[in-house]
């Protein structure tokens, strides 16, 4: 069975971009057709300036929202990255396979490091190396597919390179995964600046629809979205990024095609109104389920505990195999077991 792995980092409140670009695909498609693992990648949230209490809070919130969006623990594994040591254990080995040059070429690193320097802050070494940890997340579970939004495809490419290099040097150990993306809304843009991604660690509140915004706040943000200087509604991401973004969001929520939908509208106002109502209708079941889950925090805790146990059991053999393949001496107990197994085999 195909194995799917993907993650979400608790660096801020989840956005409509996270939902349409990732979560929705995970819960409506991936968990039904594959052996799927979904992870709150909390270690990744430590790569930028962070408040410990906030990361803890956001980690719980991200897991709750993932379940509210429809992740079903009977169908998939939901867990928190730091609960499964194998990810960090494998990351170091992959750092010994990755090069300094390839890490510095990562676009997210360049953008986030520049933003950090502009603010007068220092850049954490982990911001440079975290794509290797992401590779470890994926490879430890031998994932075949990694459903991600556009912004993460470069990191999945790196993961493929590291897997192939490791396999070539040390013997076949890892599955080489591939990125998958949603057909529309693979990059939802900021409503106030449609040339930038709608990002959860962004400061510009009015341009970002958060999954836990109240319905009227969602409507207001969409009605105030920046459009373009033209008047006719045309799907043209290059020349009309604001309108194209709204059409993509509408298409993602209603199932249509963005270009065809554009032809149905005579004004930006009518388009915005329909987008706002489509988003509210799309998010309503998530809000309802989220309220129920918040009333039962023990359930979320149990899902995460059971998910971590499953994920650990799944990752352990692959990570142990990587340790052996790269030339590390197995711990004594494993060595003794290996000898007795060999002797039993000979006898
Ligand atoms: N705007 C987006 N449109 C489509 N997909 C998106 N994703 C993120 N933003 C959009 C996808 O959501 C999944 C989880 O994302 P993440 O938590 O790894 O990262 P992020 O939301 O991009 O958040 P950061 O890095 O903390 O900060 P920002 O957002 O400020 O860059 C991924 O599959 C991602 O592609």
């Amino acid at each position: 069975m195909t194995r799917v792995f993907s993650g979400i980092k608790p660096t801020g409140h989840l956005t409509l971009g996270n939902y349409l670009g990732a979560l929705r695909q995970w819960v409506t498609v991936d968990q039904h057709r594959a052996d799927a693992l979904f992870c709150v990648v909390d270690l990744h949230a430590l790569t930028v300036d962070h408040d410990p209490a906030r990361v803890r809070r956001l980690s719980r919130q991200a897991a709750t929202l993932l379940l509210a969006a429809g992740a079903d623990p009977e169908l998939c594994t939901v867990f928190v990255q730091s609960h499964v040591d194998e990810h960090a254990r494998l990351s170091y080995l992959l750092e010994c396979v990755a090069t300094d040059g390839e890490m510095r070429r990562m676009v997210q690193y360049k953008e986030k490091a520049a933003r950090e320097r502009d603010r007068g802050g220092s850049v954490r070494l982990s911001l440079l190396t975290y794509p290797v940890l992401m590779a470890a997340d994926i490879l430890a579970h031998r994932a075949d597919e990694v459903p991600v939004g556009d912004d993460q495809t470069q990191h999945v490419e790196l993961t493929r390179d590291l897997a192939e290099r490791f396999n070539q040097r040390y013997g076949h150990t890892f599955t080489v995964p591939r990125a998958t993306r949603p057909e529309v809304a693979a990059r939802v843009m900021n409503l106030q600046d449609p040339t930038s991604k709608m990002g959860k660690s962004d400061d510009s509140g009015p341009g970002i629809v958060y999954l836990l915004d109240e319905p009227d706040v969602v409507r207001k943000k969409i009605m105030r979205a920046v459009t373009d200087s033209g008047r006719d509604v045309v799907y043209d991401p290059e020349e009309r990024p604001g309108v194209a973004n709204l059409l993509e969001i509408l298409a993602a929520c209603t199932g249509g095609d963005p270009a065809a939908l554009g032809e149905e509208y005579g004004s930006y106002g009518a388009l915005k109104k329909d987008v706002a109502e489509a988003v509210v209708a799309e998010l309503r079941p998530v809000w309802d389920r989220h309220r129920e889950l918040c009333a039962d925090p023990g359930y979320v805790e149990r899902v995460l505990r059971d998910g971590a146990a499953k994920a650990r059991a799944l990752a352990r053999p692959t990570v142990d195999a990587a340790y052996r393949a790269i030339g590390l001496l197995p711990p004594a107990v494993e060595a003794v077991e290996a000898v007795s197994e060999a002797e039993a085999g000979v006898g």
Side-chain angles (χ1 to χ4, degrees):
M1 194 180 199
T2 303
R3 183 163 298 154
V4 164
F5 177 94
S6 204
I8 191 132
K9 26 178 189 302
T11 38
H13 298 285
L14 301 199
T15 71
L16 184 65
N18 296 127
Y19 179 77
L20 295 179
L23 259 65
R24 205 177 58 151
Q25 162 92 10
W26 303 354
V27 301
T28 57
V29 180
D30 296 322
Q31 71 173 352
H32 297 285
R33 65 167 184 96
D35 174 11
L37 295 110
F38 303 123
C39 184
V40 177
V41 283
D42 53 349
L43 296 173
H44 294 208
L46 311 184
T47 55
V48 288
D49 198 20
H50 77 284
D51 167 25
R54 185 166 187 263
V55 169
R56 254 191 305 273
R57 212 168 44 243
L58 289 173
S59 297
R60 192 169 296 116
Q61 188 188 81
T64 309
L65 270 170
L66 181 48
L67 296 170
D72 177 352
E74 298 289 320
L75 300 175
C76 66
T77 306
V78 177
F79 68 105
V80 174
Q81 182 189 33
S82 65
H83 296 176
V84 178
D85 291 345
E86 273 60 33
H87 294 225
R89 243 181 105 215
L90 179 58
S91 183
Y92 180 73
L93 294 201
L94 296 178
E95 281 188 24
C96 300
V97 175
T99 67
D100 173 64
E102 76 195 330
M103 303 318 299
R104 288 183 196 282
R105 281 197 292 278
M106 293 294 118
V107 172
Q108 266 210 8
Y109 168 72
K110 289 197 265 191
E111 288 177 357
K112 288 192 177 176
R115 216 187 299 161
E116 205 59 49
R117 288 192 190 100
D118 286 349
R119 285 190 193 133
S122 53
V123 178
R124 295 184 182 186
L125 178 60
S126 56
L127 185 65
L128 180 68
T129 57
Y130 106 85
V132 175
L133 177 58
M134 176 170 160
D137 301 335
I138 297 164
L139 299 181
H141 294 287
R142 303 179 72 89
D144 302 286
E145 292 178 10
V146 189
V148 284
D150 268 359
D151 59 325
Q152 289 293 345
T153 47
Q154 191 187 27
H155 292 162
V156 181
E157 278 307 307
L158 173 80
T159 303
R160 289 172 59 83
D161 291 345
L162 297 182
E164 278 166 359
R165 202 175 301 154
F166 191 103
N167 287 347
Q168 213 169 27
R169 282 187 195 160
Y170 306 114
H172 187 83
T173 309
F174 298 120
T175 300
V176 180
R178 67 184 185 89
T180 58
R181 67 197 288 281
E183 279 173 22
V184 281
R187 182 180 284 260
V188 177
M189 307 308 270
N190 187 303
L191 298 174
Q192 290 298 315
D193 173 10
T195 57
S196 319
K197 185 189 87 160
M198 185 184 282
K200 66 172 123 60
S201 54
D202 225 316
D203 300 330
S204 69
I208 303 167
V209 174
Y210 294 105
L211 286 192
L212 290 179
D213 277 343
E214 292 291 328
D216 278 346
V217 175
V218 172
R219 290 190 182 96
K220 205 177 285 174
K221 286 179 176 177
I222 294 173
M223 292 309 290
R224 290 185 182 160
V226 167
T227 37
D228 315 290
S229 51
R231 280 167 171 249
D232 43 339
V233 179
V234 180
Y235 180 69
D236 182 351
E238 290 300 315
E239 299 297 322
R240 309 270 185 92
V243 171
N245 191 34
L246 291 173
L247 286 168
E248 290 241 357
I249 294 172
L250 183 62
C253 294
T254 61
D257 166 71
L261 282 170
E263 291 167 14
E264 294 177 15
Y265 289 91
S267 77
Y268 290 165
L271 170 65
K272 285 180 180 177
K273 202 154 171 287
D274 280 6
V275 174
E277 292 314 318
V279 171
V280 168
E282 178 71 35
L283 295 184
R284 198 172 292 287
V286 181
W287 293 325
D288 292 344
R289 180 84 181 114
H290 182 259
R291 244 191 320 274
E292 288 168 17
L293 289 168
C294 286
D296 186 5
Y299 172 76
V300 179
E301 296 295 325
R302 281 194 301 280
V303 168
L304 295 179
R305 188 197 55 207
D306 295 350
K310 261 170 80 182
R312 224 174 279 132
L314 207 61
R316 186 87 204 239
T318 304
V319 177
D320 283 350
Y323 266 67
R324 283 193 296 274
I326 206 167
L328 298 170
L329 190 63
V333 60
E334 278 184 34
V336 169
E337 276 169 11
V339 169
S340 15
E341 273 168 27
E343 283 173 355
V346 170

